[in-house]
Amino acid sequence: MASSGYRNGAHRGSSSTKLDRPLPAANLKSSSFKSRFTPSHSSGSALRRSSPASFSTNDGVPGRVRVAVRLRPRNVEELAADADFADCVELQPELKRLKLRKNNWDSDTYEFDEVLTEFASQKRVYEVVTKPVVESVLDGYNGTVMAYGQTGTGKTFTLGRLGEEDTSDRGIMVRSMEDILADISPETDSVSVSYLQLYMETLQDLLDPSNDNIPIVEDPKTGDVSVPGATLVEIRDQQSFVELLRIGETHRIAANTKLNTESSRSHAILMVHVRRSVIGREEIISSENGDSSHLVKPFKPLVRKSKLVVVDLAGSERIHKSGSEGHMLEEAKSINLSLSALGKCINALAENSAHVPIRDSKLTRLLRDSFGGTARTSLIVTIGPSPRHRGETACTILFGQRAMKVENMLKIKEEFDYKSLSRRLEVQLDKLIAENERQQKAFEDEAERINIEAQNRISEVERSFADALEKERLKCQMDYMESVKQLEEKLVLNQQKHDCDGFMDDKCIGQETGLSAAEDVAEIKKLLGKEIKLRKAAEEEVKNCKRQQGQDMQSEAGGDPEVLKLRKILEDEAHQKKKLEEEIIILRSQLLQLTFEADQMKRYLDRGGSGNGFAGLDSSMSPFRHPQYRDSGNGQKASIATLFEQVGLQKILALLESDDANVQIHAVKVVANLAAEEANQKKIVEAGGLSSLLMLLRSFEDETVQRVAAGAIANLAMNEANQELIMIQGGISLLSMTAADAEDPQTLRMVAGAIANLCGNDKLRMKLKTEGGIKALLGIVRCEHPDVLSQVARGIANFAKCESRASTQGIYSARSLLIEDGALPWIVQNANNEAAPIRRHIELALCHLAQHEVNAKDMISGGALWELVRISRDCSREDIRSLARRTLSSSPTFRSELRRLRIDY
């Protein structure tokens, strides 16, 4: 054999040069299919193993397009026509090389990632070319498998063969879906497909032939390409997928040419969309003392959305060989033009050209992510052995060589699954509510049982004491009656004795009678005294019994161990109920927070925002932004209203005084959300919410609580009646101290927004001056964040407008308080700020200050006149330009200075 050569920088030698010498490392291209990023595996993956047949070498460049070449065996026509001629190519699969013969003594040698002979099975082709791409798709990356080659070289056989007669003939499309369905979980994952054809630069739906002009949509931010008008069918089993492929193949356009009896006249594109959920674990929230709380912080589950694109390109053909004419000739021109556009893009990417002609064809637009994008791409080039088509074979080989130089930057497609997390929280909330209801019912039943037992025991004790008192009373009464009866008997006996003895002499009788009567009276007195003592003793006993009954009742209430135990159980149940109520409110607020974040993400993605932009929406600030500067969706309002109705304002405000810091933080966030709605503000103020928020601002050192409390106060300060209450309760002083101590931009933004709202009240101008509100607002400018400066500028504009209104009404005639507090230099410095909100507020403030003639000299000396002239000429808003012109015209001082400076305003 004569001289042979190497392409892509390889050595070129004479015919005597042997090919057994290894190439230098610098001249070998990597064929490793492993990404430069290590994919994170989902649970249950069945395809995470390395195949010995996969493209792999030791020194690889991760992310490069991998190219394999496959040789078609000779067909019947070639066996007859080229029987006397050798094949134009010679394969060396063990060295991953092929030789393209120029003639009998000269040939060119090319290297590929894999060289597949005419005897390679469909299974081997799938494993070395497609399986690594499918594994990457299951890990969350986009992937592309494409076949390129001359017409009739086996592209459709390699990719789209269904293998219904012989399962070993199954192509890449069928085998890819088998592996995908085997790896995913039907409960949490989903697979859907679209099947399209690009015919004569028109994108058509093979699953719905009536949909014959599908637009291609590109995301202007990320560059992602999508076809939203295509039919998307969810796949549950392999049989339904094969049926869809069969339907698509019947609608694909093909024709009979001299080179191929079933020549595809369109590019077929199969798009497989895979959506996988990544299972995470939950984190335990720890309290300040290190103990694990019973509250669980929910894990934000991830969703990986990837796409596998399988492209069966129509074969390139030469008209004089294919014999195409008429409409088939137009088809051939369209096919060759689109393939030429693809070749130009690959050339530009291989040479790192500054311009890549992506938009020259719809084919290159569809494959934008496959070459030079974020997808893992495998290309299989198919060639024939016939020496008659050596030119077409050479072009195909050179196309594959250029494609090997294209490098992609693989990126995983991953996002948070807020809907799944929301459903989990709802289920957890329902369980807690049901558990709380059960415990509350058990608590009520136990309390009722204890109450009934206590009442029964009290009734029993009362009956016992009443019976004892009645017995004692009866006993005393019987003793008294017995004593009276004895006295009456003695009296009768004495009378009888007196009758029987007769009359004695008067003296004796008188003495005896006197003695007998005195003794009887003394005895009766003695008996009466005894009866009186017995009655007093009985009354004392009754008192003692009553006192004993009271003591027993007190012991029943506090001294009896059993009653104490029951009381302790009641107190524990009440405490547990309170904790459960706090947990329910916290979970409701978390559910509200996540629902809002999901709505924010959806709206941001609808506006075309990038991932980095969304990261700026801090979840700790977005729900409490001022109503003027945030977009409150209907869904968030409904969630807040539901929380407000289910929990109740008093319970939410009571949680502001909870001992648990986490509960306090959640409660103040909920109050801030409620304060954002004008309908809730009056209820919050009447229930003492404003006082509680000011107390938190005064005593709480946590910056999160301060930020959210300041945001809630800013919302309440939108109402004029609330502004005076805030001032009366010392709100300006508290906001000023917070502004002096805070460093976080979001906290300063909230404080500046609250002060800015107060600056719009005519009645509070002097209060703001005396209590340091203006000084605090100017001190906040140390934070150069645009959002903070915008609030400062708004407050200055509001204050200047109030002064201008008071001056016009004749109420105020002195120099501006803003100028006295040194605000003019900052106003002039930021009058032409790049940020539109800041510039607009400052321009309004300058116009309002200039309307008060007493401020004119200070404004001239401070350089504000030049800014007023600029505003009257260059301001983008017509109303502000007109206001500036009227102000300059109405001020004698300004007119005189402008004439002196010879400025035509």
Side-chain angles (χ1 to χ4, degrees):
M1 183 181 294
S3 64
S4 61
Y6 294 88
R7 296 298 173 92
N8 295 332
H11 175 71
R12 190 180 185 91
S14 64
S15 60
S16 61
T17 303
K18 300 293 185 179
L19 296 178
D20 55 352
R21 182 167 59 89
L23 293 174
N27 295 331
L28 292 177
K29 291 290 184 179
S30 167
S31 58
S32 172
F33 269 82
K34 294 184 179 179
S35 167
R36 69 186 64 188
F37 307 107
T38 302
S40 58
H41 304 300
S42 302
S43 60
S45 176
L47 292 173
R48 306 302 180 267
R49 55 185 180 274
S50 61
S51 172
S54 63
F55 298 178
S56 60
T57 57
N58 293 329
D59 52 340
V61 180
R64 178 175 60 80
V65 174
R66 313 302 171 191
V67 182
V69 61
R70 187 182 193 187
L71 177 65
R72 171 183 58 76
R74 289 194 178 194
N75 54 32
V76 176
E77 180 185 353
E78 291 171 346
L79 288 173
D82 301 334
D84 297 332
F85 300 95
D87 292 348
C88 67
V89 292
E90 177 187 347
L91 303 185
Q92 296 177 333
E94 66 281 357
L95 299 177
K96 303 186 189 304
R97 298 174 184 169
L98 68 81
K99 292 183 178 180
L100 178 63
R101 291 190 177 92
K102 293 182 178 180
N103 45 47
N104 291 334
W105 58 85
D106 192 13
S107 64
D108 291 331
T109 302
Y110 301 91
E111 294 180 353
F112 287 93
D113 294 304
E114 190 68 33
V115 175
L116 303 168
T117 67
E118 64 270 30
F119 305 108
S121 65
Q122 291 279 73
K123 180 179 180 181
R124 172 168 169 76
V125 173
Y126 170 75
E127 287 182 347
V128 301
V129 175
T130 309
K131 190 169 183 178
V133 179
V134 172
E135 291 179 352
S136 295
V137 169
L138 290 170
D139 285 333
Y141 300 89
N142 287 344
T144 302
V145 179
M146 187 172 70
Y148 177 91
Q150 182 191 9
T151 181
T153 54
K155 298 183 297 301
T156 303
F157 177 83
T158 301
L159 295 181
R161 189 75 168 181
L162 299 182
E164 294 177 330
E165 296 83 7
D166 186 357
T167 57
S168 64
D169 285 344
R170 290 169 300 157
I172 285 175
M173 292 181 181
V174 178
R175 294 177 185 270
S176 298
M177 185 55 67
E178 287 177 353
D179 281 352
I180 290 173
L181 292 176
D183 191 76
I184 66 170
S185 172
E187 292 80 11
T188 59
D189 306 335
S190 64
V191 179
S192 54
V193 300
S194 299
Y195 201 11
L196 314 171
Q197 71 172 357
L198 183 62
Y199 175 70
M200 300 284 286
E201 284 300 301
T202 302
L203 195 60
Q204 302 175 355
D205 197 335
L206 290 176
L207 303 180
D208 182 9
S210 61
N211 191 7
D212 58 359
N213 191 9
I214 303 174
I216 300 174
V217 179
E218 296 183 20
D219 192 322
K221 298 291 185 181
T222 63
D224 292 340
V225 178
S226 60
V227 282
T231 301
L232 196 63
V233 181
E234 187 170 356
I235 302 299
R236 293 293 183 182
D237 53 72
Q238 184 70 12
Q239 185 60 36
S240 62
F241 175 70
V242 173
E243 186 63 29
L244 284 178
L245 290 183
R246 186 183 298 108
I247 294 172
E249 287 301 319
T250 59
H251 295 146
R252 188 176 179 187
I253 300 174
N256 184 4
T257 67
K258 293 180 180 180
L259 296 177
N260 190 356
T261 58
E262 295 182 358
S263 175
S264 300
R265 313 308 289 169
S266 64
H267 307 298
I269 301 110
L270 176 70
M271 294 184 177
V272 182
H273 302 269
V274 181
R275 185 182 187 276
R276 309 200 70 183
S277 297
V278 181
I279 301 175
R281 60 185 181 84
E282 298 177 334
E283 299 176 0
I284 304 299
I285 300 177
S286 298
S287 59
E288 294 181 356
N289 57 8
D291 297 334
S292 295
S293 172
H294 57 281
L295 296 178
V296 176
K297 181 180 181 182
F299 175 78
K300 292 185 177 179
L302 300 178
V303 175
R304 290 178 179 170
K305 296 180 180 179
S306 55
K307 179 173 65 176
L308 172 64
V309 181
V310 183
V311 185
D312 180 11
L313 296 174
S316 60
E317 60 182 63
R318 294 187 178 180
I319 307 302
H320 68 278
K321 290 186 178 183
S322 65
S324 300
E325 58 184 12
H327 185 67
M328 290 176 57
L329 178 59
E330 297 300 322
E331 292 174 341
K333 289 180 181 179
S334 177
I335 292 171
N336 288 338
L337 282 174
S338 60
L339 293 177
S340 175
L342 178 61
K344 290 179 182 178
C345 290
I346 289 179
N347 286 343
L349 290 168
E351 295 171 1
N352 292 323
S353 175
H355 172 66
V356 180
I358 292 291
R359 299 188 175 275
D360 285 359
S361 171
K362 286 187 177 181
L363 177 63
T364 54
R365 291 177 64 193
L366 283 170
L367 298 178
R368 180 173 186 173
D369 195 43
S370 304
F371 293 96
T374 62
R376 170 165 288 174
T377 302
S378 289
L379 172 66
I380 179 167
V381 294
T382 58
I383 59 175
S386 175
R388 288 181 298 162
H389 305 303
R390 185 194 176 283
E392 290 84 346
T393 302
C395 290
T396 301
I397 291 173
L398 291 176
F399 180 89
Q401 289 287 294
R402 289 191 294 271
M404 291 177 67
K405 297 180 182 179
V406 178
E407 293 190 7
N408 295 347
M409 180 62 68
L410 309 185
K411 292 183 180 179
I412 197 166
K413 309 298 181 182
E414 196 173 72
E415 63 185 35
F416 290 125
D417 187 3
Y418 286 100
K419 291 183 179 179
S420 174
L421 181 57
S422 177
R423 286 194 298 270
R424 287 177 56 199
L425 283 176
E426 287 177 354
V427 171
Q428 186 178 359
L429 179 61
D430 291 339
K431 289 181 179 178
L432 282 174
I433 291 174
E435 180 64 23
N436 179 48
E437 289 178 351
R438 286 194 297 270
Q439 292 187 5
Q440 186 174 3
K441 184 65 169 60
F443 167 76
E444 291 174 353
D445 293 343
E446 183 68 17
E448 185 177 0
R449 185 186 64 80
I450 294 171
N451 189 28
I452 292 173
E453 289 183 358
Q455 288 179 356
N456 291 337
R457 293 190 61 181
I458 291 173
S459 300
E460 184 179 352
V461 170
E462 287 178 349
R463 284 196 300 270
S464 299
F465 279 111
D467 293 343
L469 286 173
E470 184 64 20
K471 289 178 181 179
E472 189 67 26
R473 186 182 67 79
L474 292 174
K475 181 182 178 182
C476 293
Q477 188 176 0
M478 292 298 294
D479 291 344
Y480 177 75
M481 294 298 294
E482 186 67 26
S483 300
V484 172
K485 186 178 180 181
Q486 289 177 2
L487 288 174
E488 289 177 351
E489 289 176 354
K490 286 184 178 182
L491 182 61
V492 170
L493 290 174
N494 289 332
Q495 187 67 31
Q496 291 175 356
K497 183 179 180 181
H498 177 74
D499 291 340
C500 291
D501 288 344
F503 293 98
M504 296 178 66
D505 53 44
D506 293 338
K507 186 175 180 178
C508 291
I509 294 173
Q511 290 177 351
E512 290 178 1
T513 301
L515 290 174
S516 178
E519 290 175 358
D520 290 340
V521 170
E523 187 174 358
I524 290 172
K525 288 183 177 179
K526 186 177 180 182
L527 288 172
L528 286 175
K530 183 179 180 182
E531 290 298 328
I532 291 171
K533 289 181 180 179
L534 288 174
R535 187 174 183 84
K536 287 183 178 179
E539 291 176 354
E540 187 68 26
E541 185 67 22
V542 170
K543 291 180 180 179
N544 290 335
C545 288
K546 288 182 178 180
R547 187 164 54 251
Q548 184 65 32
Q549 182 184 7
Q551 292 176 358
D552 290 342
M553 291 177 68
Q554 291 179 358
S555 65
E556 288 289 335
D560 193 346
E562 184 177 356
V563 175
L564 289 174
K565 182 179 179 182
L566 291 174
R567 174 176 288 181
K568 189 173 186 306
I569 291 173
L570 288 174
E571 292 176 353
D572 292 342
E573 292 293 337
H575 182 68
Q576 185 67 18
K577 178 182 177 183
K578 182 179 178 182
K579 291 190 69 176
L580 285 173
E581 289 177 350
E582 292 178 352
E583 290 177 19
I584 289 173
I585 294 173
I586 290 171
L587 286 172
R588 288 183 191 273
S589 66
Q590 288 180 349
L591 180 59
L592 171 66
Q593 176 83 5
L594 290 169
T595 303
F596 175 78
E597 291 180 4
D599 292 341
Q600 285 290 88
M601 172 176 276
K602 183 177 183 301
R603 287 195 299 274
Y604 191 80
L605 292 177
D606 290 341
R607 292 195 298 267
S610 63
N612 292 335
F614 181 75
L617 295 174
D618 185 1
S619 60
S620 65
M621 61 169 278
S622 59
F624 316 111
R625 296 172 68 183
H626 197 277
Q628 281 184 275
Y629 301 99
R630 68 180 177 93
D631 181 16
S632 297
N634 292 332
Q636 186 191 3
K637 292 180 180 178
S639 300
I640 293 173
T642 302
L643 181 66
F644 182 72
E645 292 173 0
Q646 292 179 354
V647 178
L649 181 60
Q650 291 296 340
K651 290 185 178 180
I652 296 173
L653 293 178
L655 293 180
L656 293 176
E657 302 177 2
S658 174
D659 296 333
D660 191 337
N662 290 330
V663 173
Q664 276 191 319
I665 291 174
H666 281 291
V668 73
K669 288 183 178 180
V670 172
V671 172
N673 272 302
L674 292 173
E677 301 297 329
E678 188 176 358
N680 300 330
Q681 292 180 359
K682 184 177 180 181
K683 298 178 182 178
I684 292 174
V685 173
E686 290 177 351
L690 177 59
S691 301
S692 299
L693 291 171
L694 292 173
M695 182 63 68
L696 286 176
L697 204 61
R698 178 184 294 109
S699 61
F700 218 88
E701 297 180 358
D702 186 275
E703 195 153 359
T704 301
V705 175
Q706 287 185 340
R707 177 173 67 252
V708 181
I713 294 171
N715 290 337
L716 293 175
M718 293 292 292
N719 188 299
E720 186 174 354
N722 296 340
Q723 292 174 356
E724 296 183 10
L725 289 175
I726 292 172
M727 186 66 73
I728 291 172
Q729 297 185 26
I732 271 292
S733 301
L734 292 175
L735 291 171
S736 301
M737 289 188 290
T738 305
D741 298 336
E743 295 296 334
D744 178 59
Q746 301 306 327
T747 304
L748 292 173
R749 184 174 68 87
M750 297 297 181
V751 174
I755 298 176
N757 289 338
L758 296 174
C759 287
N761 193 321
D762 293 336
K763 302 175 183 178
L764 306 181
R765 283 185 301 109
M766 294 308 297
K767 282 279 188 179
L768 286 166
K769 163 72 174 175
T770 56
E771 295 188 16
I774 302 301
K775 289 285 188 181
L777 198 62
L778 294 175
I780 294 175
V781 302
R782 69 182 184 276
C783 175
E784 298 177 356
H785 195 283
D787 290 344
V788 178
L789 297 182
S790 177
Q791 294 295 321
V792 174
R794 184 172 70 88
I796 290 175
N798 288 344
F799 196 89
K801 185 176 181 180
C802 289
E803 283 191 332
S804 174
R805 189 160 48 237
S807 173
T808 303
Q809 296 172 355
I811 301 173
Y812 182 75
S813 59
R815 184 167 167 243
S816 171
L817 299 177
L818 290 172
I819 296 177
E820 289 185 359
D821 281 346
L824 187 60
W826 186 83
I827 294 174
V828 174
Q829 181 182 354
N830 289 272
N832 199 16
N833 195 288
E834 294 180 356
I838 301 174
R839 185 174 63 253
R840 185 178 70 252
H841 290 310
I842 292 299
E843 288 172 347
L844 285 171
L846 280 173
C847 292
H848 289 311
L849 286 173
Q851 288 179 342
H852 195 17
E853 183 66 21
V854 75
N855 299 329
K857 292 184 179 180
D858 290 316
M859 295 184 71
I860 292 172
S861 62
L865 177 61
W866 296 100
E867 294 300 331
L868 283 171
V869 173
R870 180 192 60 78
I871 294 169
S872 68
R873 294 175 177 175
D874 303 330
C875 182
S876 58
R877 288 181 49 172
E878 178 61 30
D879 56 340
I880 299 179
R881 287 203 307 272
S882 301
L883 180 60
R885 293 192 191 108
R886 289 198 307 270
T887 303
L888 291 173
S889 301
S890 62
S891 172
T893 306
F894 286 148
R895 290 202 306 270
S896 174
E897 182 66 13
L898 290 173
R899 284 196 299 270
R900 187 183 70 81
L901 297 174
R902 297 181 181 180
I903 296 175
D904 183 13
Y905 58 96

